[in-house]
Amino acid sequence: MNRDELLFSYLESETKRQNGGIELIASENFASKNVRALCGSILTNKYAEGFPGKRYYGGCVHIDEIENRAIELVTKLFGAKYACVQPHSGTQANMIAYYALLNTGDKILSLSLDEGGHLSHGSKVSFSSRYYNVDFYHLNKNGRIDYEALREKALEYRPNLILAGFSAYPFEIDYQKIKDVAKEVGAYFMVDMAHIAGLIAAGELDNPLKYADIVTSTTHKTLRGPRGGIVLTNNEEIIKKVNKACFPALQGGPLENIIGAKAECFYEALQPEYKEYIKQVKINTKACSDELTRLGDINSGTENHLFLLNTKKSFGVTGKDAQEKLEEIGITLNKNMLPNDDEKPSVTSGVRIGFAAVTTRGAIKEDAIEIARIIDGYLKNNIKKEDAISRVKTLTKSWKQIDEI
């Protein structure tokens, strides 16, 4: 069969970009060959509406084995009793969780987008604000969750669900404090651990399953799997509602090729070398943040795999301009709102930097320090473009290529 050569040329170009660049987008990672093989396997051919043992199509004997294996592995990985592995994405996992626990118009209390939350946590441009009434708790002057103010807001607002989780919060979360507030006001407690799932799996951060009624996550960030979502709980009645919300309410046939790849990533995350990988992610992230601080650049600091860099105060450029300038030399990151940002979301005053992806390729502490120096030097116009590109290439040539992962 002929193929679209133009399309495959784009694929080759993207492969070269990934191999030749420094990937600092905190929500990206490099999946293993085994994960990618399952993504592109014959499992994509099978329609399997429903759940293992309760399908609406025949020929699902082996599909059931694969999906059950994914459930077995993810519940072991996170110490959960129940799991739904069918959500197509993190946002759909959140949609499923809301649908399972709430009625249209119910109240959600979450962290706002401009202070580190996620679009699906109540942003005005998201479905979540159309179907639910959402109010927000905030950060204190040190950029951390203000738990006392959160309690006061909850007592006033009386939410049906309190949500913890983020896309750009660089510190640990005190789940016990939020659980206590949720219990006090009679609300469900939900955690979206999409960004930090890998750190939790490796025991480097506290496990929200010990506290929350329901936990959602993606599988493609620090978990290093395919693009997809999961929902976890220890409550049998909640998982029944979750499964009904997933199918038939919000999704049709599951992506069984992706579920197979999820199972492989859960298996990989259970191996001892994965724990060492996550430890190195934290070491690298802190090393880069600390070096930028030493160089006089303002950033949030970190307790996980990411931090925020204030490019406006550090270099006199917006996050958008910093993102575009660094991409010229092969460093990819994303503009990001900072707490109390006075720039629009399309511009921002800073960038988000994460080390999950480059650590997968083999980056070590010294590399993270060098990356900080390149960023600082180039954004301060102290390093010429050709020199910056050369230093980026030196780093990337010393790491694993994509096909070696």
Side-chain angles (χ1 to χ4, degrees):
M1 182 182 294
N2 291 332
R3 69 180 192 177
D4 184 341
E5 293 300 336
L6 182 61
L7 180 62
F8 279 84
S9 74
Y10 296 154
L11 178 60
E12 184 178 353
S13 295
E14 175 60 13
T15 302
K16 289 178 179 177
R17 186 196 69 82
Q18 290 189 21
N19 278 321
I22 294 176
E23 184 53 72
L24 298 180
I25 293 176
S27 52
E28 292 189 9
N29 213 326
F30 298 108
S32 71
K33 284 186 286 188
N34 290 332
V35 167
R36 301 199 310 272
L38 283 155
C39 285
S41 71
I42 60 168
L43 297 177
T44 196
N45 299 334
K46 191 70 190 83
Y47 220 129
E49 280 185 351
F51 295 90
K54 298 179 180 179
R55 304 288 188 182
Y56 288 78
Y57 290 79
C60 291
V61 173
H62 305 302
I63 294 298
D64 284 1
E65 291 172 340
I66 289 168
E67 189 165 331
N68 280 329
R69 179 61 169 162
I71 293 169
E72 174 193 354
L73 290 167
V74 76
T75 51
K76 181 179 180 181
L77 183 62
F78 290 106
K81 291 182 179 179
Y82 309 102
C84 178
V85 296
Q86 291 192 8
H88 298 334
S89 70
T91 290
Q92 284 193 263
N94 289 341
M95 184 183 290
I96 288 163
Y98 300 154
Y99 193 99
L101 300 181
L102 303 174
N103 295 311
T104 302
D106 276 356
K107 297 177 179 179
I108 296 173
L109 183 62
S110 68
L111 184 64
S112 63
L113 178 65
D114 63 343
E115 294 183 88
H118 188 260
L119 283 168
S120 63
H121 297 175
S123 168
K124 64 182 180 180
V125 299
S126 165
F127 78 92
S128 50
S129 64
R130 172 173 289 194
Y131 298 113
Y132 306 100
N133 289 306
V134 185
D135 205 344
F136 303 101
Y137 55 88
H138 300 284
L139 308 180
N140 59 27
K141 62 182 181 180
N142 296 318
R144 296 174 182 266
I145 295 170
D146 189 329
Y147 294 100
E148 185 54 41
L150 184 158
R151 178 176 179 271
E152 291 173 4
K153 171 70 78 170
L155 290 170
E156 173 193 349
Y157 187 58
R158 311 300 296 192
N160 302 95
L161 181 146
I162 299 177
L163 173 57
F166 57 83
S167 63
Y169 184 70
F171 305 115
E172 290 197 52
I173 299 173
D174 191 328
Y175 299 117
Q176 183 65 58
K177 286 183 179 179
I178 303 178
K179 177 185 177 180
D180 291 344
V181 174
K183 185 177 181 181
E184 186 175 3
V185 300
Y188 286 111
F189 179 28
M190 172 178 164
V191 175
D192 178 350
M193 65 173 184
H195 260 276
I196 54 174
L199 286 81
I200 292 163
E204 289 294 320
L205 288 177
D206 199 9
N207 189 337
L209 265 298
K210 295 185 293 184
Y211 311 93
D213 297 295
I214 194 166
V215 175
T216 62
S217 182
T218 54
T219 51
H220 53 271
K221 299 183 177 79
T222 49
L223 268 181
R224 208 160 54 177
R227 303 193 69 79
I230 52 173
V231 181
L232 306 172
T233 183
N234 289 320
N235 185 304
E236 186 175 7
E237 292 306 309
I238 287 178
I239 196 62
K240 291 177 182 178
K241 293 178 181 179
V242 164
N243 286 342
K244 287 180 180 179
C246 182
F247 176 83
L250 296 172
Q251 290 188 177
L255 310 176
E256 290 298 340
N257 56 320
I258 301 302
I259 290 172
K262 289 177 185 178
E264 174 62 20
C265 96
F266 303 147
Y267 177 82
E268 292 174 4
L270 283 162
Q271 306 311 307
E273 53 266 33
Y274 182 83
K275 292 180 173 58
E276 295 305 312
Y277 155 71
I278 289 293
K279 287 179 182 178
Q280 191 63 51
V281 170
K282 290 184 71 177
I283 290 168
N284 291 347
T285 310
K286 188 175 187 306
C288 185
S289 171
D290 287 350
E291 180 65 9
L292 286 166
T293 298
R294 189 190 71 79
L295 293 166
D297 305 326
I298 299 169
N299 71 87
S300 62
T302 182
E303 294 172 356
N304 52 36
H305 67 297
L306 64 82
F307 63 91
L308 299 173
L309 174 61
N310 190 322
T311 57
K312 202 170 178 183
K313 289 185 177 179
S314 300
F315 315 110
V317 298
T318 66
K320 180 177 184 291
D321 289 340
Q323 174 186 311
E324 291 174 353
K325 186 170 183 180
L326 290 169
E327 194 162 354
E328 295 172 355
I329 61 170
I331 294 179
T332 311
L333 40 66
N334 63 283
K335 60 182 180 291
N336 208 95
M337 296 283 282
L338 304 178
N340 303 310
D341 206 323
D342 56 5
E343 293 285 357
K344 296 183 296 184
S346 59
V347 178
T348 79
S349 295
V351 295
R352 183 183 65 171
I353 295 175
F355 272 81
V358 292
T359 306
T360 292
R361 291 188 64 187
I364 58 177
K365 181 178 178 179
E366 290 73 18
D367 297 334
I369 292 170
E370 169 67 354
I371 289 168
R373 291 171 180 170
I374 295 170
I375 291 172
D376 173 85
Y378 194 60
L379 292 181
K380 287 178 178 174
N381 297 313
N382 292 334
I383 302 175
K384 293 180 180 179
K385 184 176 180 179
E386 315 85 76
D387 294 336
I389 290 173
S390 176
R391 288 167 69 171
V392 166
K393 286 182 176 179
T394 297
L395 284 172
T396 59
K397 285 179 179 177
S398 70
W399 300 336
K400 294 176 185 175
Q401 298 296 285
I402 306 302
D403 285 341
E404 297 173 337
I405 294 169

